[in-house]
């Protein structure tokens, strides 16, 4: 098993380029199932999760060809409707095949994802929405068995804002008969990107980026060439890495408008974040102030940046309260950060961080994707050496993170544990 070793205490300086967004690439690659013929997707990050999706699409009968960040998919030969346990268990986003399989084949058999490290993460809202479109669903032997003779547009209300729930329903509804309305829909940039890709395929979706999305079903979709949006969470991770090391970096290829909540919080903490003609400049300071943060659906502060921001709060002056409202168990990084000297108390869904601590390097264990990113950032800020084990978590969602940070002057490398 591999680990990442970090010698802390080095300022980050220079320029870093952001990769394509994992959480946009996954549903967009899956959307190819809705078409016959070759789709070409550009700026697809090479990650464990995108490789898993390509494998799943291949298993379903699609032809998949990859070259660098370009992925071509032809689902003309779609002939299988099962997403097996082995794949779904390693990547929950596999449940996104439900919508397209039902739209194309009228049938899907998808392993029910279990709980995961950050929370129970049920998919009841995906299933209820599909039932409202006319799908019959039963749960047999750990699998969702779903079938429909045809999908019919419906008025669907989500009790909770759900990103992949909105995406799954959108992909099911594009080929349904009549009009579907999704209320309390997710507004994340990744949802907007998926709708944009679907509309280029010939779908008729309006209202994306608002809580009410309307989808008028069409007969068929055609293949497209599409460029995946930049990863706002990767960009945000670099912003915080620069901030904790009192660094001065430029991030190119990112979309600052997707990161407004984070930028606002960083500026409130005293970090300089400025738009330049060719990128975003982030300049740290010795005098970081503690700020309170509450995670919320977009355009609120992203839960996927909570762990990283917590590291900044550990080295900031004063107290900060971080409230996690999206996932019930997303403070698992806290005990690892405590091993590095952080002073954090968790009470229910809030973490109180007493800042101004000197972090010291320690062996720590990655427990999920974003927690791993926070431990690497903590290692960059800490005195001495940090060893982050179980780095397979980070490979799910960051492309060569240690190499990109090393190019910025961080002292870190990957080695066998
Ligand atoms: N929820 C339900 N029922 C459902 C669906 C969701 O109760 O049917 C709950 C969840 O348990 C959670 C909340 O609703 O408490 C929001 O979950 P959501 O469905 O929005 O999360 P997701 O779609 O499973 C995506 C991202 C996550 C990101 C969340 C929130 C993808 C592939 N994953 O997950 O990304 O944290 O939205 O923004 O898009 C990551 O990249 O590290 C990651 C975990």
């Amino acid at each position: 098993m591999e680990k990442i070793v970090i010698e802390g205490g080095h300022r980050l300086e220079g320029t870093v380029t952001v990769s394509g967004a994992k959480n946009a690439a996954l549903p967009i690659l899956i959307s190819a199932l809705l078409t016959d013929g070759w789709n070409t997707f550009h700026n697809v990050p090479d990650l464990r999760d995108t490789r898993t999706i390509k494998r799943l699409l291949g298993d379903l009968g699609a032809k998949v060809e990859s070259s660098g960040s370009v992925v071509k998919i032809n689902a003309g030969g779609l002939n299988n409707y099962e997403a097996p346990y082995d794949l779904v268990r390693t990547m929950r986003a596999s449940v996104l095949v439900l919508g397209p399989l039902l739209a194309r084949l009228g049938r899907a058999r998808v392993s029910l994802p279990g709980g995961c490290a950050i929370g129970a993460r049920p998919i009841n809202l995906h299933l209820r929405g599909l039932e409202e479109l006319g799908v019959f669903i039963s749960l047999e032997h750990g699998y969702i068995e779903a079938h429909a003779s045809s999908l019919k547009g419906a008025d669907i209300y989500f009790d909770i804002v759900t990103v992949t729930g909105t995406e799954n329903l959108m992909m099911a509804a594009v080929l349904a008969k009549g009009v579907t309305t999704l209320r309390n829909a997710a507004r994340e940039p990744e949802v907007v990107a998926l709708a944009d890709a679907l509309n280029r395929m010939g779908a008729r979706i309006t209202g994306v980026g608002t809580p009410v999305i309307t989808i008028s079903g069409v007969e068929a979709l055609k293949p497209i060439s599409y460029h995946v949006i930049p990863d706002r969470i990767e960009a945000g991770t670099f912003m915080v890495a620069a901030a904790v090391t009192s660094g001065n970096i430029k991030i190119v290829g990112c979309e600052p408008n997707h990161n407004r909540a984070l930028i606002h919080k960083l500026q409130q903490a005293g970090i300089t974040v400025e738009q330049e003609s060719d990128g975003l400049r982030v300049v740290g300071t010795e005098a970081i102030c503690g700020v309170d943060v509450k995670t919320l659906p977009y355009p609120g502060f992203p839960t996927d940046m909570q762990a990283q921001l917590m590291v900044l709060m550990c080295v900031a002056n004063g107290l900060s309260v971080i409230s996690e409202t999206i996932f019930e168990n997303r403070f698992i990084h806290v005990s690892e950060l405590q091993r590095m000297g952080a002073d954090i108390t968790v009470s229910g869904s809030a973490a109180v961080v007493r800042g101004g601590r000197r972090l010291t390097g320690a062996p720590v264990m990655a427990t999920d994707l974003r927690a791993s990113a926070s431990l690497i950032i903590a290692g960059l800020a800490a005195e001495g050496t940090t060893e982050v084990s179980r780095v397979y978590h980070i490979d799910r969602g960051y492309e060569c993170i240690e190499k990109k940070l090393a190019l910025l002057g961080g002292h870190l490398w990957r080695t066998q544990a």
Side-chain angles (χ1 to χ4, degrees):
M1 222 186 285
E2 292 177 333
K3 64 184 175 184
I4 291 179
V5 181
I6 308 141
E7 273 174 19
H10 299 276
R11 291 182 76 209
L12 296 190
E13 279 177 310
T15 300
V16 66
T17 304
V18 170
S19 300
K22 166 180 85 78
N23 289 347
L26 298 176
I28 288 172
L29 293 177
I30 290 173
S31 72
L33 291 177
L34 292 161
T35 66
D36 279 336
W38 285 102
N39 290 276
T40 307
F41 301 112
H42 301 266
N43 203 30
V44 177
D46 184 19
L47 306 168
R48 210 152 67 88
D49 275 9
T50 48
R51 289 181 191 180
T52 304
I53 278 295
K54 288 189 268 183
R55 212 176 108 204
L56 173 58
L57 295 175
D59 284 358
L60 294 173
K63 292 194 191 101
V64 181
E65 292 177 3
S66 296
S67 168
S69 64
V70 179
V71 178
K72 294 183 175 191
I73 302 173
N74 184 337
L78 182 64
N79 57 8
N80 179 10
Y81 51 82
E82 177 169 326
Y85 176 66
D86 279 352
L87 286 180
V88 180
R89 136 184 106 79
T90 59
M91 197 192 60
R92 305 173 56 83
S94 317
V95 300
L96 282 168
V97 299
L98 261 173
L101 286 178
L102 286 161
R104 278 297 297 285
L105 302 176
R107 189 149 190 203
R109 184 168 194 266
V110 175
S111 171
L112 191 64
C116 85
I118 61 176
R121 302 184 75 184
I123 57 160
N124 56 316
L125 302 175
H126 302 226
L127 301 185
R128 199 168 73 197
L130 290 171
E131 281 174 336
E132 292 189 56
L133 293 180
V135 179
F136 294 93
I137 293 175
S138 59
L139 298 178
E140 314 269 351
H141 308 292
Y143 276 77
I144 302 153
E145 304 274 358
H147 66 96
S149 49
S150 70
L151 300 179
K152 295 180 196 66
D155 199 306
I156 294 165
Y157 169 75
F158 292 108
D159 292 331
I160 302 174
V161 177
T162 161
V163 174
T164 48
T166 303
E167 293 167 346
N168 225 343
L169 269 290
M170 218 156 58
M171 288 195 278
V174 283
L175 295 178
K177 288 196 174 62
V179 177
T180 298
T181 307
L182 304 179
R183 300 184 192 275
N184 200 24
R187 290 179 277 169
E188 271 64 6
E190 295 76 21
V191 174
V192 176
L194 171 65
D196 184 32
L198 292 169
N199 279 341
R200 287 171 198 231
M201 290 173 178
R204 289 171 55 208
I205 306 173
T206 57
V208 277
T210 80
V212 182
I213 298 177
T214 306
I215 306 141
S216 303
V218 297
E219 282 293 314
L221 298 182
K222 58 180 192 308
I224 52 165
S225 174
Y226 195 77
H227 193 93
V228 174
I229 59 169
D231 197 311
R232 64 192 166 105
I233 306 301
E234 189 197 13
T237 301
F238 290 132
M239 286 183 215
V240 178
V244 292
T245 61
S246 303
N248 180 343
I249 68 165
K250 182 156 69 184
I251 305 174
V252 295
C254 65
E255 175 44 85
N257 280 331
H258 293 168
N259 262 327
R260 286 294 162 210
L262 171 66
I263 292 173
H264 191 84
K265 282 292 160 189
L266 290 176
Q267 288 172 335
Q268 215 180 320
I271 310 301
T272 303
V273 185
E274 279 170 356
Q275 176 94 53
E276 293 183 351
S277 58
D278 53 347
L280 201 62
R281 168 79 50 193
V282 183
V283 186
T285 168
E286 297 290 333
I288 306 166
C289 319
V291 292
D292 294 342
V293 175
K294 184 184 241 182
T295 63
L296 288 169
Y298 190 86
F301 189 91
T303 174
D304 291 344
M305 280 304 302
Q306 180 256 107
Q308 301 91 314
L309 194 89
M310 188 179 284
V311 178
L312 185 66
M313 293 302 99
C314 291
V315 300
N317 295 311
L319 205 72
S320 66
V321 179
I322 300 184
S323 310
E324 172 59 58
T325 75
I326 308 292
F327 293 113
E328 66 275 20
N329 196 25
R330 214 173 196 182
F331 284 140
I332 22 181
H333 43 282
V334 168
S335 47
E336 299 302 298
L337 292 176
Q338 284 167 337
R339 302 192 65 250
M340 298 179 71
D343 186 344
I344 306 167
T345 309
V346 174
S347 174
S349 61
V352 176
V353 185
R354 285 174 198 81
R357 301 293 143 154
R358 187 174 56 93
L359 297 179
T360 53
V364 286
M365 196 188 286
T367 43
D368 81 84
L369 170 56
R370 307 304 170 186
S372 331
S374 77
L375 296 177
I376 291 177
I377 292 174
L380 292 171
E383 190 187 298
T385 304
T386 298
E387 293 188 356
V388 183
S389 56
R390 301 204 177 166
V391 292
Y392 52 85
H393 287 291
I394 202 136
D395 296 331
R396 291 190 48 200
Y398 290 88
E399 218 176 25
C400 321
I401 189 167
E402 76 279 12
K403 289 192 183 131
K404 287 190 180 184
L405 289 169
L407 282 174
L408 289 171
H411 288 205
L412 69 170
W413 59 92
R414 188 180 287 250
T415 177
Q416 286 301 320

